[in-house]
Amino acid sequence: MNAHAKINLALVVGPIRADGKHEVVTVLQRIDLADEITLESANELAVTGFDADTIVRAALESLAAAAGIEPRWRARIEKRIPVAAGLGGGSSDAATALRLANETLADPLPNERLRGLAAALGADVPFFLSHGSQLGTGDGSTLERLELPLDYTVVLFLPHGAVKASTAAVYSAFDRETGFDKRCAELRRALKAGDLAALPANDLASSRFAFELMDLGAFRADVTGAGPAVYGLFRDISAAQSAAAALEPRGGTWITRPSW
């Protein structure tokens, strides 16, 4: 089963909550770039294909504990989504493994219980159990379905040598404590108008390559999540292809589409 990547079309960060996490308002969009997850019954738990995995294993262990069974599955991850890039590959893999393993249970857990397990694994994981564009609030795991335009092409760019700090470290360094309500209002006005270009810029990260993508014809460009991957949205596929070709000598590039 495909485990799709995501981009944050907007990410507004607010004050620290009582649980120690920052309040966020984010617009989440699944894209066609995807890992492949396969799962089958086994004598014991095994996760293969990606040696650095911890979250798929944790997801399967949590599901087994909730169902009162031993975790007896073999999962295989075929990685296509860049790792630690802000594209949610690990979260998507975990959500997909949860869904596949839940379907093997004699008494599958209800959706709300599965979402609870997903939220405990990470704020992005519940999104990947949903469909369509979503507005994430709270710590990002409270979701509301959005109807947004999907008539564009996405160029992803990951600069050579870019290294992502941990998401926790990026959030802990965030020091923009004013204007949260104003930026949220700006975000909601853009959503109401269906104008992706008017969404506020990512509060957590910025990149000169976003400006370069705009110069190359994107109608919106920004960092996704805590980065370092950058995306550009293009109305015209030929312009997207030209932009990807221009950036290719300086990093990895992918041309993809928004996905339901």
Side-chain angles (χ1 to χ4, degrees), residues 8-12 25-29 135 146 148-149 152 183-202 219-222 231 233:
N8 296 80
L9 293 174
L11 178 56
V12 176
V25 179
T26 184
V27 179
L28 296 155
Q29 177 61 58
L135 180 70
L146 296 171
L148 294 181
Y152 55 84
R183 297 195 305 282
C184 288
E186 180 184 351
L187 182 152
R188 290 184 182 277
R189 283 195 300 272
L191 291 179
K192 185 175 181 180
D195 185 358
L196 301 184
L199 288 166
N202 186 329
F219 68 87
R220 177 172 180 77
D222 209 342
Y231 65 85
L233 310 184

Side-chain angles (χ1 to χ4, degrees), residues 164-246:
K164 179 185 178 181
S166 73
T167 301
V170 174
Y171 271 97
S172 68
F174 177 78
D175 60 2
R176 189 177 182 182
E177 293 295 338
T178 61
F180 177 62
D181 291 341
K182 181 179 179 180
R183 297 195 305 282
C184 288
E186 180 184 351
L187 182 152
R188 290 184 182 277
R189 283 195 300 272
L191 291 179
K192 185 175 181 180
D195 185 358
L196 301 184
L199 288 166
N202 186 329
D203 275 347
L204 279 185
S206 62
S207 171
R208 64 185 178 87
F209 292 108
F211 297 102
E212 187 163 343
L213 281 162
M214 294 290 288
D215 289 341
L216 290 167
F219 68 87
R220 177 172 180 77
D222 209 342
V223 178
T224 179
V230 182
Y231 65 85
L233 310 184
F234 290 80
R235 301 289 185 202
D236 182 71
I237 181 64
S238 61
Q241 291 167 338
S242 296

Side-chain angles (χ1 to χ4, degrees), residues 2-256:
N2 283 336
H4 290 268
K6 60 82 182 171
I7 54 176
N8 296 80
L9 293 174
L11 178 56
V12 176
V13 182
I16 296 177
R17 297 148 36 106
D19 61 5
K21 300 178 181 179
H22 281 273
E23 192 76 21
V24 303
V25 179
T26 184
V27 179
L28 296 155
Q29 177 61 58
R30 188 180 277 100
I31 57 176
D32 279 345
L33 179 65
D35 293 340
E36 179 73 19
I37 306 297
T38 55
L39 182 138
E40 60 185 1
S41 298
N43 292 328
E44 60 184 10
L45 180 61
V47 180
T48 65
F50 180 53
D51 291 343
D53 169 73
T54 57
I55 193 169
V56 168
R57 177 175 290 274
L60 295 174
E61 288 172 342
S62 69
L63 178 66
I69 62 170
E70 291 297 316
R72 291 174 176 165
W73 297 286
R74 180 181 297 107
R76 178 168 180 80
I77 306 168
E78 184 175 341
K79 290 299 293 183
R80 302 188 188 106
I81 301 169
V83 177
L87 294 164
S91 295
S92 186
D93 293 347
T96 304
L98 276 178
R99 181 183 291 114
L100 289 172
N102 194 49
E103 291 172 355
T104 70
L105 299 179
D107 186 16
L109 300 187
N111 287 338
E112 285 308 308
R113 186 81 185 279
L114 205 62
R115 290 179 188 280
L117 296 179
L121 292 164
D124 281 343
V125 182
F127 166 70
F128 293 105
L129 292 177
S130 306
H131 290 288
S133 312
Q134 300 280 338
L135 180 70
T137 56
D139 69 351
S141 63
T142 300
L143 300 172
E144 174 188 342
R145 177 70 184 274
L146 296 171
E147 296 295 336
L148 294 181
L150 300 176
D151 56 343
Y152 55 84
T153 298
V154 182
V155 173
L156 296 176
F157 177 66
L158 185 60
H160 287 318
V163 177
K164 179 185 178 181
S166 73
T167 301
V170 174
Y171 271 97
S172 68
F174 177 78
D175 60 2
R176 189 177 182 182
E177 293 295 338
T178 61
F180 177 62
D181 291 341
K182 181 179 179 180
R183 297 195 305 282
C184 288
E186 180 184 351
L187 182 152
R188 290 184 182 277
R189 283 195 300 272
L191 291 179
K192 185 175 181 180
D195 185 358
L196 301 184
L199 288 166
N202 186 329
D203 275 347
L204 279 185
S206 62
S207 171
R208 64 185 178 87
F209 292 108
F211 297 102
E212 187 163 343
L213 281 162
M214 294 290 288
D215 289 341
L216 290 167
F219 68 87
R220 177 172 180 77
D222 209 342
V223 178
T224 179
V230 182
Y231 65 85
L233 310 184
F234 290 80
R235 301 289 185 202
D236 182 71
I237 181 64
S238 61
Q241 291 167 338
S242 296
L247 290 172
E248 189 172 12
R250 288 171 287 167
T253 59
W254 296 260
I255 297 175
T256 185

